[in-house]
């Protein structure tokens, strides 16, 4: 996948609305001036350190820097984070004051909505913004965990989708959006969040008729048919 100087976005259609898929892993609905991200997992590195697995303790800073860049690119009026923003309930105690200040500065001039997730069922008031279990945008339901089949158009996170393709004799694995037009599952935005292969059994009941993977390149989004993916 080639690197381009200017990010090249893609379109993900959900519930009859065209969302702009940014290579960062954010979704944007321009007519609503709304930007969505999922699964920041702030302070995952420090959570691992508490269990004796030492990782570079800069994942929150890296994640917030990436988020700041995409906010500057689109300047949305509304930001909605689709759950698992904090990696655990003690994350706020471990986050660096400078990182918390950066997050607060990002919220100036925007309505900020935190959806709760399985890692953060309660959003601390110190994060600012508004806490909700779900939200609706352009007739599309936003939630952390995907709902049951036939629940209506939705965008969710939680599963951290990633796709793998073989190109010119080598394999390439990327985080991705996955959609069938009625449902979209977003990639994890967090630096340490990782990804689950789209051919994993967890995705089968969500997309019984097939899907398109919108894979994140270094500077563009690539739409790949599901049947072209590798395990």
């Amino acid at each position: 996948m080639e690197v381009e100087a200017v990010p090249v976005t893609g379109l993900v259609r959900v519930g009859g609305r065209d969302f702009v898929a940014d290579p960062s892993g954010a979704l944007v609905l321009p007519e609503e001036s709304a930007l969505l991200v999922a699964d920041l997992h702030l302070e995952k590195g420090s959570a691992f350190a508490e269990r004796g697995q030492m990782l570079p303790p800069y994942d929150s800073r890296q994640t917030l820097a990436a988020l700041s860049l995409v906010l500057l690119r689109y300047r949305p009026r509304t930001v909605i984070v689709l759950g698992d923003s904090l990696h655990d309930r003690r994350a706020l105690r471990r986050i660096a004051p400078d990182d918390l200040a950066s997050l607060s500065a990002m919220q100036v001039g925007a309505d900020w909505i935190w959806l709760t997730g399985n890692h953060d069922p309660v959003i601390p008031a110190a994060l600012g913004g508004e806490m909700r279990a779900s939200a609706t945008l352009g007739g599309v339901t936003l939630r952390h965990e995907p709902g049951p089949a036939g629940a209506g158009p939705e965008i969710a996170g939680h599963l951290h989708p990633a796709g793998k393709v073989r190109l010119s004799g080598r394999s390439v694995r990327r985080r991705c959006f996955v959609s069938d037009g009625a449902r979209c599952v977003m990639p994890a935005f967090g630096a340490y969040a990782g990804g689950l292969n789209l051919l994993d059994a967890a995705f089968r009941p969500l997309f019984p008729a097939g899907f398109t993977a919108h894979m994140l390149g270094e500077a563009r989004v690539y739409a790949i048919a599901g049947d072209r993916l590798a395990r």
Side-chain angles (χ1 to χ4, degrees), residues 188-207:
F189 198 88
Y192 284 179
L196 178 65
N197 192 300
L198 277 172
L199 300 186
D200 187 271
F203 292 100
R204 289 177 196 158
L206 301 180
F207 303 100

Side-chain angles (χ1 to χ4, degrees), residues 149-173:
E154 73 167 14
I155 298 174
H158 183 57
L159 291 176
H160 303 196
K164 181 180 179 181
V165 293
R166 292 191 173 92
L167 300 170
S168 303
R170 67 188 183 96
S171 294
V172 178
R173 187 177 187 274

